[in-house]
Amino acid sequence: GIRISCAKRPVSAADIERMIGQVESQLQKMGKAEISSRVVGDLVMEALKEVDQIAYVRYAIVYLGLDDLKEIRKEIDQLLES
């Protein structure tokens, strides 16, 4: 999902690998045998938000199931406010 979201964006392979490593590290620190996909998705969204906002929006559309322009705009507005 990270790679697809970052496709054709100015995000280097090193940045993608760093994000993946960061998410994996946070998951390992939780020390749980099983972690919900929701937790993983939330961590990925936070990492993408810091690296590339367009990649973040791409990921959010799929991950959050945003299926109309009003929902997408709301997410973009929240991103711009932070």
Side-chain angles (χ1 to χ4, degrees):
I2 292 174
R3 286 187 176 91
I4 292 169
S5 297
C6 293
K8 298 183 182 181
R9 296 294 308 149
V11 180
S12 70
D15 285 339
I16 292 172
E17 291 303 317
R18 184 185 52 76
M19 277 189 285
I20 292 169
Q22 177 185 2
V23 169
E24 287 177 345
S25 175
Q26 289 174 311
L27 293 172
Q28 289 173 350
K29 286 179 185 176
M30 292 178 185
K32 297 180 181 178
E34 291 186 30
I35 298 173
S36 73
S37 60
R38 179 74 186 192
V39 171
V40 176
D42 290 346
L43 292 173
V44 169
M45 284 186 55
E46 287 301 315
L48 283 170
K49 188 185 292 188
E50 294 175 15
V51 173
D52 187 280
Q53 292 180 341
I54 300 298
Y56 166 83
V57 170
R58 287 178 173 175
Y59 189 87
I61 288 169
V62 175
Y63 174 66
L64 299 175
L66 305 178
D67 58 1
D68 69 36
L69 290 176
K70 288 181 182 180
E71 290 177 349
I72 295 168
R73 177 150 189 178
K74 181 180 174 185
E75 189 65 33
I76 291 171
D77 289 344
Q78 288 176 355
L79 181 62
L80 292 173
E81 290 173 5
S82 58

